[in-house]
Amino acid sequence: MFELSKSAIQKCKEELDCHVGSVVTDNAANVNKMRKLLEQENELKLVTYGCTAHILNLLAHDLEIDNIKEHVVNIVKYFRDNHYASARYRQEGEQRLVMPQDTRWNTMCNCLKTYIKNWPALMKICEVDREQIDVRVREKVSNLTLKRSAEDLLARLEPIAVALDKAQSDKCTIAEAVNMWKELITTLSNGRDALTAVRKRYDQVITQAHLLANLIHPSLQGKLLSEEVNNAMDYANERFPSLVPVIMKFQAKSPPFHAFKFSDFVTKSMSAVEWWRSHSNVLDSDVISAAQQLLSAVASSSGVEQVFSSYGIVHSKLRNRLGTEKAAKLVFLSKTINAHKMDVYDDTNDQDA
């Protein structure tokens, strides 16, 4: 994997004139080792780290309450697969019940939401049609302890689900991921076990590169880092020494970083990379390059996973003789066209608003 990654990075540089500055993967042991080997290659000058979305999914598993998932899934599965129960539910239920899927990480949260919201309808069916409904399902639906436990589990999982949706966006960077995890720590601070779990996962996924990116982000400015600022500066001194005095001016808002450049209007009108590029005429190119490398690093590998899904649609059983190069071009066109459609849709919504 190390050799394949290295050759792909070299190919990007030679054929596409594109410099790869960061590598994000899942957190399996073999790819963790690959990332370390890539980071040790001095000529590549890479920032490597694990996928935030993957760790958030693991955090959701850490916070599961014993047996609740199993019982809720049994109820949902019964009302989905049993002909009579399914027909009665369609008459009474407000929305379709959701079955959780391992490959779709937020579906457990959606399963709990639909179960709790439609619990009165399920309860009514079990009372009115008690002779036709399986007695074990009736007992589970009428079990108020199970319902309350499901509500407690949903309260734990919902903040993680919101963070997971953000992390899986192509635009979520490692700088923003730090604030996202900090907010999770605050939200889940009421439960000791939950707080311990989220801090453990935070330490697992947040690297010095994350902290430094957060520190130099024009709108985030490392405001939530506290003592971690020194950790970020140590990393900057080791990897990007020319960036250290610039960061100190950035923090002091001294020239060329005038106070008006940090206003909400300015920082929301452009990306963090564009903000730093606007200083190209007053800062050294290696400083701009370092800022761009850190601030363009995406938080998760979800974009690649979505490409795999698109590839599965293009290279289907009916089109299984497509060559690799042609299939890759078709996937590229598919993703580009869909992205364009989404941009048009967003623009239309903004005009309507």
Side-chain angles (χ1 to χ4, degrees), residues 26-44:
D26 64 32
N27 298 279
N30 54 349
V31 289
N32 276 337
K33 184 175 180 179
M34 178 200 73
R35 290 204 313 264
K36 289 179 182 178
L37 291 172
L38 285 172
E39 197 155 335
Q40 290 168 6
E41 289 287 307
N42 293 327
E43 71 272 14
L44 295 179

Side-chain angles (χ1 to χ4, degrees), residues 46-84:
L46 288 172
V47 173
T48 71
Y49 48 92
C51 174
T52 285
H54 183 237
I55 296 296
L56 284 170
N57 183 53
L58 294 179
L59 175 62
H61 287 298
D62 293 340
L63 299 183
E64 286 181 358
I65 301 173
D66 291 342
N67 299 323
I68 300 305
K69 176 181 177 180
E70 178 186 351
H71 292 317
V72 172
V73 169
N74 285 341
I75 294 170
V76 171
K77 190 174 183 180
Y78 178 81
F79 278 90
R80 186 196 68 171
D81 295 344
N82 182 277
H83 291 299
Y84 183 85

Side-chain angles (χ1 to χ4, degrees), residues 11 23 32 37 41-42 51 54 88 102 106 121 124 167 211 293 305 308 338:
K11 183 178 179 180
V23 173
N32 276 337
L37 291 172
E41 289 287 307
N42 293 327
C51 174
H54 183 237
R88 285 289 292 118
D102 291 337
N106 268 345
K124 178 181 178 181
L211 300 176
Q293 181 178 7
E305 303 292 343
F308 290 159
N338 287 334

Side-chain angles (χ1 to χ4, degrees), residues 20 134-135 191 261 268 338 351 353:
V20 176
D134 187 292
V135 62
K261 295 181 179 180
K268 290 179 180 178
N338 287 334
Q351 291 172 7

Side-chain angles (χ1 to χ4, degrees), residues 280-322:
S280 297
N281 60 331
V282 290
L283 295 176
D284 293 340
S285 59
D286 56 341
V287 170
I288 300 297
S289 178
Q292 180 174 325
Q293 181 178 7
L294 290 163
L295 295 172
S296 63
V298 294
S300 79
S301 58
S302 301
V304 177
E305 303 292 343
Q306 291 162 9
V307 171
F308 290 159
S309 299
S310 300
Y311 199 99
I313 294 170
V314 170
H315 201 282
S316 64
K317 291 181 179 179
L318 296 178
R319 308 183 74 190
N320 58 13
R321 296 182 67 182
L322 276 174

Side-chain angles (χ1 to χ4, degrees), residues 235-283:
Y235 177 71
N237 190 49
E238 178 186 345
R239 287 292 304 273
F240 311 101
S242 60
L243 199 55
V244 173
V246 178
I247 295 174
M248 296 175 71
K249 292 180 181 180
F250 174 87
Q251 291 175 309
K253 295 182 175 57
S254 60
F257 304 107
H258 301 286
F260 74 87
K261 295 181 179 180
F262 295 90
S263 69
D264 287 344
F265 177 77
V266 172
T267 56
K268 290 179 180 178
S269 299
M270 57 176 63
S271 69
V273 172
E274 289 172 333
W275 190 91
W276 276 90
R277 281 179 179 167
S278 69
H279 298 84
S280 297
N281 60 331
V282 290
L283 295 176

